[in-house]
Amino acid sequence: MTLLDMPEATVVLQERFLSEVQALSLLDTLLEDIAWEQHRVRLFGREMPSPRLSAWHGDPEAVYRYSGFTHHPRPWTPHLLSVRAAVERAADTAFNSVLLNRYRDGQDAMGWHADDEPELGPEPVIASVSLGASRKMRFRHRTHREWVSDVALGNGSLLVMAGSTQRYWLHSVPRTRTVHDERINLTFRLIAPPRQERTLS
Ligand SMILES: O=C(O)CCC(=O)C(=O)O
Ligand SMILES: [Mn+2]
């Protein structure tokens, strides 16, 4: 386990969370089993197809709003439940949902963002399992913009972001010409139940 050297963040990488064989077999299963969709994202007021495929699974109440859209979860599958159990043990945290992202090759990517939606709470623990092709995740501090940190997310790795990471840092998965193979990433999250609407009488 490696604690990344990033001020005002807690990011831990476990490179061999799953064995190579386990990770590749899970990759194949998820490529088959998951109803992959191209979500739409709203960026600078413009709506466009997201540059990757995604799926949202979890407990029924784990409704998630991001990039201007609301996602209702599909139910857990047996494979997702068994990865969740292992991830919960490793991160010592309970999760009620998982966002799956599928990067078909190096042209699929994820832009700069933080996982800081209100329903995740102020200091969310986000646990991220990577399968298949290794891709670079890049972190950049929000105010000290010259502080950057790159981490290779290889097949079978687990990256846990906790504490103030989302408050002070952004992260992205840049496009690359050198990767031609599939990668799936699963980010486990704990979504707080929606707050009761208050009606004023
Ligand atoms: O693919 C990755 O490793 C990053 C995924 C991510 O940042 C997210 O789902 O919010
Ligand atoms: Mn993220």
Side-chain angles (χ1 to χ4, degrees):
M1 288 226 290
T2 316
L3 174 65
L4 301 198
D5 183 16
M6 291 165 52
E8 302 179 326
T10 305
V11 184
V12 178
L13 176 68
Q14 192 177 331
E15 281 182 282
R16 309 231 176 291
F17 171 66
L18 300 177
S19 75
E20 203 155 316
V21 172
Q22 276 177 320
L24 291 177
S25 130
L26 183 59
L27 174 80
D28 284 343
T29 304
L30 297 177
L31 287 174
E32 283 277 314
D33 280 9
I34 298 296
W36 294 102
E37 294 175 29
Q38 190 157 24
H39 290 166
R40 295 187 72 75
V41 291
R42 228 166 260 149
L43 240 139
F44 308 115
R46 279 176 47 209
E47 201 184 293
M48 54 189 84
S50 138
R52 61 191 172 275
L53 303 181
S54 306
W56 176 246
H57 287 253
D59 297 346
E61 75 277 9
V63 174
Y64 192 35
R65 292 174 192 84
Y66 80 93
S67 302
F69 289 88
T70 301
H71 299 280
H72 290 272
R74 291 177 189 268
W76 292 101
T77 68
H79 285 97
L80 291 177
L81 281 175
S82 86
V83 194
R84 177 176 74 163
V87 168
E88 286 184 330
R89 242 177 287 125
D92 196 22
T93 305
F95 299 105
N96 63 3
S97 51
V98 61
L99 177 64
L100 295 96
N101 282 296
R102 174 177 169 194
Y103 306 79
R104 290 158 289 186
D105 59 26
Q107 292 311 299
D108 278 356
M110 185 172 294
W112 287 110
H113 71 283
D115 301 326
D116 59 355
E117 291 76 11
E119 56 265 52
L120 295 172
E123 298 211 321
V125 177
I126 311 273
S128 150
V129 176
S130 293
L131 310 169
S134 179
R135 292 288 294 265
K136 179 170 76 184
M137 176 174 272
R138 170 158 282 194
F139 287 92
R140 190 179 76 202
H141 194 276
R142 288 178 193 250
T143 49
H144 301 277
R145 292 165 69 91
E146 69 281 12
W147 294 0
V148 291
S149 174
D150 288 347
V151 51
L153 298 181
N155 182 42
S157 66
L158 172 69
L159 184 84
V160 179
M161 301 184 274
S164 57
T165 308
Q166 307 303 328
R167 179 146 24 112
Y168 293 114
W169 292 76
L170 303 174
H171 55 277
S172 67
V173 179
R175 281 206 171 84
T176 168
R177 263 192 281 247
T178 60
V179 174
H180 304 284
D181 294 328
E182 297 259 9
R183 166 178 186 261
I184 289 177
N185 175 265
L186 302 87
T187 56
F188 290 86
R189 297 148 193 259
L190 180 63
I191 302 281
R195 285 201 299 155
Q196 213 78 48
E197 293 281 322
R198 285 179 66 223
T199 46
L200 299 175
S201 54

